[in-house]
Amino acid sequence: RLLKIICSNLKGVILFIDDLQWSDTATLDLLKSLVLDGEIPSLLVVGAYREDEVPDHHPLVLHIGDLEQMNVSITQIKIGNLGVDNVIPLVADALGMDADDEKVISLA
């Protein structure tokens, strides 16, 4: 009910859930019920998971399949790992160090 009230009073709500590869069936059932609840307006559910940790028999895969069979619109975007060249500036910025510093490069 709380989510219904929040979504009713806002122009749109994005519910982002990370690490779905660790979710249990009860959590996935809750997410499925939220997605299927026609009384929750303007709700976008975004989930992220590590594809290499979700085999075909994983509950997440089964729940996604169920939703697809119910004609729920699901868009999957596959994002690969960041390369070292992408990580170096992030580490340097986080540590307040120069990207050319050997310590930064070794941490990346």
Side-chain angles (χ1 to χ4, degrees):
R1 289 182 17 154
L2 177 62
L3 196 54
K4 288 179 188 179
I5 293 168
I6 291 170
C7 290
S8 296
N9 291 306
L10 297 173
K11 293 186 185 214
V13 173
I14 298 173
L15 176 62
F16 177 77
I17 309 215
D18 196 9
D19 292 325
L20 283 172
Q21 72 273 10
W22 295 327
S23 56
D24 60 2
T25 302
T27 301
L28 295 170
D29 287 341
L30 174 62
L31 287 173
K32 188 191 312 186
S33 69
L34 292 174
V35 168
L36 295 174
D37 191 332
E39 295 181 23
I40 302 177
S42 305
L43 175 64
L44 174 64
V45 177
V46 178
Y49 63 94
R50 296 175 186 221
E51 186 177 30
D52 60 334
E53 294 183 26
V54 179
D56 291 341
H57 62 277
H58 192 282
L60 176 60
V61 173
L62 301 176
H63 276 72
I64 290 172
D66 290 347
L67 291 170
E68 288 175 332
Q69 287 183 354
M70 294 178 208
N71 293 320
V72 173
S73 177
I74 297 176
T75 302
Q76 294 190 22
I77 302 170
K78 295 184 180 189
I79 301 171
N81 296 329
L82 292 173
V84 174
D85 291 340
N86 303 113
V87 175
I88 289 173
L90 297 172
V91 173
D93 185 55
L95 298 176
M97 298 173 72
D98 185 54
D100 295 330
D101 189 310
E102 286 299 319
K103 289 180 183 179
V104 169
I105 294 169
S106 71
L107 290 171

